[in-house]
Amino acid sequence: MEVREPAVAYGKQKFTIEEYLAMEEAATEKHEYYRGEIFAMSGPKVPHNTISINMLVELGNKLKGKNCRPYSSDQRIHIEANTLFTYPDISIICGELETLNNDNWNVLNPAVIIEILSPSTKNYDRGEKFKLYRDIPTLKEYILVDSESMHIEIFRLNASNHWELEEYDAAEEMLDIKTINEKISLADIYDNVQLGNE
């Protein structure tokens, strides 16, 4: 998803979480929330969508009947430590689903988050957004998938509680998602994706 400027057209600069949630329930498009500001999200392009579907299909098949489940960008994630409400491209939740006030809307405990990079969001996803995601106590891996070239970065929390980077950029390589003990080939992730023209 691409994030646009704060949605100041609503007539005020700052919103409470309760106001945001009420507005989002009635909204026809998705919005992020961070520290009182609301940001409109625009729809992704075809390569982005194709990668997302490819990964969801692979993850869904591999995790069928297991303790972890993949969710699409329709699933809202909330980070209580910094107020962010956001819609990652893919999130994987393991064990019992935890939601804000048991509301069944705002998930608190993703173990893996996957963002598919677009030209306009790649700096945000690598920088400030990753910093915000690191406030999620349950997060073990953060995966960035380029939609313009065959390149994947996976940030993984190691035994010393530090984030380590591993990179993949060849079709024959297998993306190793250690949290779920599964691997997906880059050939499958980028299947039918027209690279370099998003």
Side-chain angles (χ1 to χ4, degrees):
M1 285 289 182
E2 299 195 11
V3 181
R4 300 202 294 265
E5 291 302 305
V8 292
Y10 292 110
K12 63 185 270 194
Q13 293 290 326
K14 296 285 183 180
F15 297 85
T16 66
I17 285 174
E18 291 72 25
E19 287 172 325
Y20 161 74
L21 292 174
M23 288 166 55
E24 198 68 349
E25 199 166 333
T28 55
E29 62 177 11
K30 297 173 189 169
H31 302 82
E32 282 194 346
Y33 174 94
Y34 181 60
R35 295 192 176 177
E37 291 187 273
I38 294 175
F39 301 83
M41 301 179 76
S42 61
K45 295 182 179 177
V46 171
H48 183 292
N49 277 331
T50 306
I51 291 167
S52 182
I53 291 165
N54 288 346
M55 292 195 79
L56 279 168
V57 168
E58 289 292 321
L59 289 166
N61 288 335
K62 290 176 184 296
L63 294 175
K64 195 169 186 177
K66 297 187 178 178
N67 192 39
C68 299
R69 295 166 308 285
Y71 291 83
S72 73
S73 61
D74 287 330
Q75 182 57 63
R76 190 163 60 225
I77 301 292
H78 175 49
I79 307 172
E80 292 183 291
N82 59 41
T83 79
L84 182 69
F85 286 86
T86 188
Y87 296 84
D89 290 311
I90 299 170
S91 50
I92 301 173
I93 290 103
C94 298
E96 288 296 314
L97 206 67
E98 295 174 24
T99 59
L100 180 65
N101 304 320
N102 296 313
D103 64 6
N104 219 26
W105 282 91
N106 302 287
V107 171
L108 305 174
N109 62 324
V112 180
I113 286 178
I114 301 168
E115 293 285 13
I116 297 151
L117 301 177
S118 299
S120 64
T121 64
K122 61 172 61 176
N123 291 336
Y124 174 54
D125 287 335
R126 277 203 187 97
E128 183 63 23
K129 198 164 200 182
F130 182 30
K131 186 178 175 186
L132 295 172
Y133 280 152
R134 293 200 297 269
D135 283 337
I136 301 172
T138 53
L139 189 67
K140 305 292 183 219
E141 288 176 292
Y142 181 48
I143 302 169
L144 297 170
V145 183
D146 201 323
S147 64
E148 294 185 296
S149 63
M150 188 173 288
H151 184 74
I152 298 176
E153 298 163 284
I154 180 165
F155 293 90
R156 189 179 292 119
L157 206 55
N158 66 19
S160 304
N161 227 30
H162 292 107
W163 290 93
E164 292 181 343
L165 170 63
E166 192 173 319
E167 299 182 81
Y168 302 82
D169 55 17
E172 63 273 11
E173 288 187 288
M174 301 290 289
L175 172 66
D176 185 7
I177 309 177
K178 293 189 184 299
T179 303
I180 58 172
N181 198 29
E182 295 290 351
K183 296 181 180 181
I184 307 174
S185 76
L186 269 69
D188 287 334
I189 292 170
Y190 284 96
D191 182 49
N192 206 31
V193 176
Q194 298 296 313
L195 295 171
N197 61 355
E198 188 187 41

